Amino acid sequence: MNILVINCGSSSVKFQLIDSESEKRIAKGLCERIGIEGSRLIYTPAGGKKLTAEVKMADHREAIAVVLKALTDPQNGAVKDLSEIGAVGHRIVHGGENFSKATLITDEVKKAIADCSDLAPLHNPANLVGIEACEALMPSVPMVAVFDTAFHQTMPEESYLYAIPYRYYRDYRVRRYGFHGTSHEYVSSRAAVVLGRPLEELKLIVCHLGNGASISAVKYGKCVDTSMGLTPLEGLVMGTRSGDIDPAIVEFIANKEGKSAGEVLRMLNKESGVYGLSDGFSSDFRDLEDAYEAGNENAKRAMEVYIHSVIKYIGAYTAEMNGVDAICFTAGVGENSPIIRDRILHHLAYMHIVIDEVENHKRGEAVVISMPGPGPKVLVIPTNEELSIARQTFALVAGEKK
Ligand code: AMP
């Protein structure tokens, strides 16, 4: 069955068409600048060349129509007609406490997603618009919601509660939710396969290091802690997000510069992280790595604080789980930067981790990058959130048909 995976952002739609049987990607693409001057479609059929076209897209519904037209185009399309698309899997950012697994979309589910909008005001409304646009254009195709927060719903109370008056949890569900759940779940399962051991016996630390970054402690197949919180702002130092800070900083800066709390939070989300630390040099780790190697002080400062934050979380989660069998690196930085992995792992010599320099320089495949020995193994595992969404969508839809 062909599964269309849709990821709707505020002004973009990313999509992939995946054959659930072979698990091969048939086509992928992106609509960007939706509702803005210069909107365009970038589309790549499997084995074909990337095509870019300026197309007017006033809203997400028009963008989804453009996607479906591209997929069924007689020349460059991936399928003959829409009847060849068996289901749609939607990436949904926030499911609150309502969803601990993928779910067939009904009116009730849509209402629950809308109810979580105050927890993810940039993402959930866009995700809903994507669902409704697909429903309007493919009324008989089943739709599935796959939540970024779902995998973390197994966290125990001591991990997800903040030490603020309990009534804020009781009344407003203020708690740690965690994000990147689809990636953490996918990488944990792949790690068990690579290690040749049952997931239910393993203590894993998954480091999803991309532009956004989070770490999870996964004990016996279940998430027991994760670094992102009520929103994706908490935790590690990221591309432009601060990660953990003293909350008193918000009022302090607001008073100093006559800003509102919202303005300070925007700064913490968009102008902080390695971008802020490097004095605005770059949020892109490739730029920072090159500049770091060339001795740029701004890049050095940013990289040192970033690496320090990852090391700190690995130590904390090892302690929380009373040990760790494997540490997994994934996402843009985690998969592609031997230098950053090397810098992190050198600090973990106390755990008897010795890095295999040859394996550490491999790219694009799941590999063990630690030398054999008594310490935990270290793995690099390319994440594949779209494939995971397609798998979960297929499993639900096939189950319904039985
Ligand atoms: P993601 O959010 O997972 O797409 O990751 C994006 C981040 O990965 C960006 O900051 C990129 O600079 C970083 N990245 C991609 N390739 C490399 C690389 N070869 N070395 C260092 N960072 C990389």
Side-chain angles (χ1 to χ4, degrees), residues 208-212 283-286 289 331-333 336-337 340 363:
H208 178 109
L209 308 180
N211 189 31
S283 65
D284 190 300
F285 284 85
R286 277 165 294 203
E289 251 184 43
V333 181
N336 297 303
S337 176
I340 293 177
R363 218 172 250 184

Side-chain angles (χ1 to χ4, degrees), residues 35-288:
I36 314 171
E37 189 75 12
S39 52
R40 58 183 193 154
L41 165 76
I42 301 165
Y43 173 76
T44 316
K49 270 211 318 253
K50 182 153 121 180
L51 308 164
T52 304
E54 287 234 356
V55 193
K56 204 167 163 292
M57 292 175 256
D59 54 30
H60 285 74
R61 187 165 168 169
E62 285 187 18
I64 301 277
V66 167
V67 170
L68 299 180
K69 194 157 168 268
L71 289 171
T72 51
D73 181 74
Q75 213 178 344
N76 295 307
V79 289
K80 245 191 2 261
D81 55 54
L82 291 182
S83 69
E84 292 184 20
I85 296 177
V88 183
H90 294 267
R91 179 187 182 199
I92 310 295
V93 167
H94 220 305
E97 289 187 323
N98 299 317
F99 300 101
S100 56
K101 53 183 182 343
T103 308
L104 264 177
I105 297 174
T106 60
D107 285 346
E108 254 174 35
V109 170
K110 282 194 282 182
K111 184 176 177 308
I113 295 171
D115 288 346
C116 290
S117 284
D118 59 350
L119 294 169
L122 294 180
H123 295 101
N124 273 33
N127 297 157
L128 266 178
V129 171
I131 291 172
E132 282 170 354
C134 286
E135 283 177 338
L137 295 162
M138 291 179 278
S140 58
V141 177
M143 308 275 153
V144 171
V146 180
F147 299 91
D148 248 21
T149 46
F151 181 59
H152 305 301
Q153 277 296 304
T154 49
M155 280 190 287
E157 206 175 51
E158 62 268 28
S159 296
Y160 72 69
L161 282 181
Y162 293 117
I164 59 177
Y166 188 65
R167 73 176 182 86
Y168 292 112
Y169 171 65
R170 207 173 38 223
D171 295 349
Y172 310 123
R173 291 291 178 256
V174 173
R175 52 160 284 177
R176 174 186 312 290
Y177 288 97
F179 299 87
H180 297 139
T182 309
S183 176
H184 287 282
E185 183 173 22
Y186 175 84
V187 169
S188 309
S189 306
R190 284 284 294 140
V193 173
V194 173
L195 293 168
R197 291 179 59 188
L199 185 58
E200 296 71 28
E201 283 178 9
L202 291 168
K203 295 175 186 172
L204 302 171
I205 294 176
V206 180
C207 309
H208 178 109
L209 308 180
N211 189 31
S214 65
I215 299 201
S216 283
V218 181
K219 192 175 181 183
Y220 309 144
K222 294 201 159 48
C223 177
V224 292
D225 208 348
T226 195
S227 58
M228 283 179 166
L230 176 76
T231 75
L233 183 54
E234 195 185 347
L236 297 170
V237 172
M238 304 177 219
T240 62
R241 294 190 197 121
S242 64
D244 300 329
I245 60 160
D246 180 343
I249 291 172
V250 176
E251 190 193 27
F252 185 86
I253 292 181
N255 287 343
K256 284 276 178 208
E257 304 206 338
K259 289 188 161 119
S260 66
E263 284 168 333
V264 178
L265 278 171
R266 195 191 167 281
M267 174 277 287
L268 295 173
N269 268 301
K270 303 272 183 206
E271 296 165 18
S272 299
V274 287
Y275 176 78
L277 280 165
S278 66
D279 214 8
F281 174 73
S282 180
S283 65
D284 190 300
F285 284 85
R286 277 165 294 203
D287 299 342
L288 288 165

Side-chain angles (χ1 to χ4, degrees), residues 296-314:
N296 179 310
E297 282 301 314
N298 284 327
K300 183 166 182 294
R301 180 190 319 115
M303 292 283 267
E304 298 297 353
V305 179
Y306 172 76
I307 287 162
H308 175 85
S309 84
V310 179
I311 292 165
K312 207 156 101 174
Y313 268 98
I314 292 175

